[in-house]
Amino acid sequence: MGVMVKSSVNIGLKTGYSVLVTVAAGFVGIHISAALRCLGDYVLGLYNFNSYYGPTLKRARQHVWKKSGIFIVEGDIKDTGLLNKLFELVLDMQCRNPKSYTHSNIVGFVIVLEVCKNANPQPAIVWASSSSVYGLNTEVPFSEEDRTDFIRFNEEAGEEIVHTYNHIYGLSLTGLRFFTVYGQWGALDTAEKSTGSGGRKKGVAQFRIFNLGNTSPVPVSELVSILEKFLKVKAIRRVMKLPRIGDVPFTHAKVSLAQREFGVEEVC
């Protein structure tokens, strides 16, 4: 595996980034990996190939992108030993295990942050959050300055955790609150370097949160009608009540920060 890992990230590269993409065989992960590779960066993927969202499709993505120079390691993000090994292979880093664990669905994120904050030099991090952090807010469009709440614990807890790692350890962190999962973005290209080294902060580090979404919400029913038109097939519609917990009733993104920072007309 070591040879394939080193080949995937092109050890000794003089230009571009060497990027570790987690959940790399998922929809967002595989498209981010492909986009980075097209830009001249080098990508190493990590995924556990669980049964959520069709493992057959994700296996197919793994094999297809391997031919393009993107190697996806099969493993769990909570496997500290594996993460340390990957960092040692790519960056020759020695890292310590995290000392505490949180909710099971964000354990992996904490471990990634631990490995990164102990690294020398520390990498910059771009992580995926969600519009779900806006919870039951009724004022639209949702702005990055709005309050967030705990209707979706994973996303909200993740954002609270990164604040700590940025403030205490000097990690450069950019959060993307996805409303939709397609469109232009360039957060990696504008990320500044982390300021810490070996777990010690040496200066103020960059911390940013951006909405990435559509400024004109499209109802699911309209999307279904569009698909019917282009596929020339009448959909069988099952209208279900929104779950009482775990989902927000609507989303509507204010994307002026992303437009100003990334220089794009629309983020959708």
Side-chain angles (χ1 to χ4, degrees):
M1 182 181 77
V3 173
M4 299 192 75
V5 168
K6 291 180 179 180
S7 174
S8 185
V9 294
N10 190 21
I11 298 299
L13 63 92
K14 296 182 179 180
T15 59
Y17 294 97
S18 177
V19 185
L20 172 65
V21 177
T22 60
V23 199
F27 180 82
V28 175
I30 202 66
H31 284 84
I32 288 176
S33 299
L36 291 171
R37 194 69 191 88
C38 288
L39 289 172
D41 297 322
Y42 293 85
V43 177
L44 175 65
L46 178 65
Y47 200 69
N48 64 1
F49 292 95
N50 57 37
S51 59
Y52 198 61
Y53 287 143
T56 302
L57 177 59
K58 291 179 282 194
R59 288 288 184 189
R61 292 169 180 160
Q62 179 190 32
H63 295 305
V64 168
W65 291 110
K66 182 179 177 181
K67 298 177 182 178
S68 301
I70 299 174
F71 180 52
I72 300 178
V73 177
E74 182 172 357
D76 198 311
I77 195 174
K78 300 188 296 295
D79 186 341
T80 311
L82 174 61
L83 279 178
N84 280 330
K85 187 63 177 177
L86 293 178
F87 270 75
E88 289 170 9
L89 286 170
V90 177
L91 301 173
D92 191 27
M93 297 175 177
Q94 298 295 329
C95 306
R96 298 174 301 194
N97 291 334
K99 296 181 178 178
S100 62
Y101 289 82
T102 54
H103 189 274
S104 60
N105 286 338
I106 58 172
V107 166
F109 190 30
V110 173
I111 292 176
V112 169
L113 291 170
E114 279 285 324
V115 172
C116 290
K117 66 99 169 172
N118 284 321
N120 184 16
Q122 292 176 333
I125 299 171
V126 178
W127 92 96
S129 185
S130 167
S131 61
S132 296
V133 298
Y134 293 111
L136 300 178
N137 282 6
T138 57
E139 185 175 345
V140 292
F142 295 151
S143 168
E144 293 89 344
E145 297 178 355
D146 290 344
R147 69 173 179 85
T148 59
D149 60 37
F150 284 85
I151 190 171
R152 291 292 294 273
F153 176 81
N154 294 348
E155 290 87 353
E156 173 69 13
E159 291 200 1
E160 293 299 322
I161 288 168
V162 294
H163 273 285
T164 301
Y165 278 83
N166 170 261
H167 178 69
I168 296 178
Y169 301 113
L171 280 176
S172 171
L173 289 150
T174 301
L176 306 178
R177 289 175 178 166
F178 284 108
F179 287 68
T180 46
V181 291
Y182 55 93
Q184 294 177 292
W185 67 285
L188 186 65
D189 296 330
T190 62
E192 296 177 1
K193 293 182 178 180
S194 295
T195 61
S197 177
R200 293 181 179 275
K201 181 178 179 179
K202 295 183 178 179
V204 177
Q206 184 183 57
F207 185 87
R208 309 177 298 172
I209 297 286
F210 294 105
N211 287 340
L212 292 184
N214 193 347
T215 57
S216 302
V218 178
V220 174
S221 58
E222 184 176 339
L223 174 61
V224 172
S225 298
I226 292 172
L227 291 173
E228 286 178 326
K229 176 182 178 181
F230 284 95
L231 296 176
K232 295 180 173 57
V233 174
K234 187 67 176 177
I236 300 174
R237 304 187 184 213
R238 288 185 59 199
V239 181
M240 304 178 69
K241 290 183 178 180
L242 190 72
R244 292 179 60 189
I245 58 174
D247 240 325
V248 294
F250 54 84
T251 63
H252 185 178
K254 181 178 180 181
V255 296
S256 54
L257 286 179
Q259 290 172 334
R260 183 168 67 247
E261 182 75 14
F262 305 147
V264 295
E265 294 298 323
E266 283 288 337
V267 181
C268 61

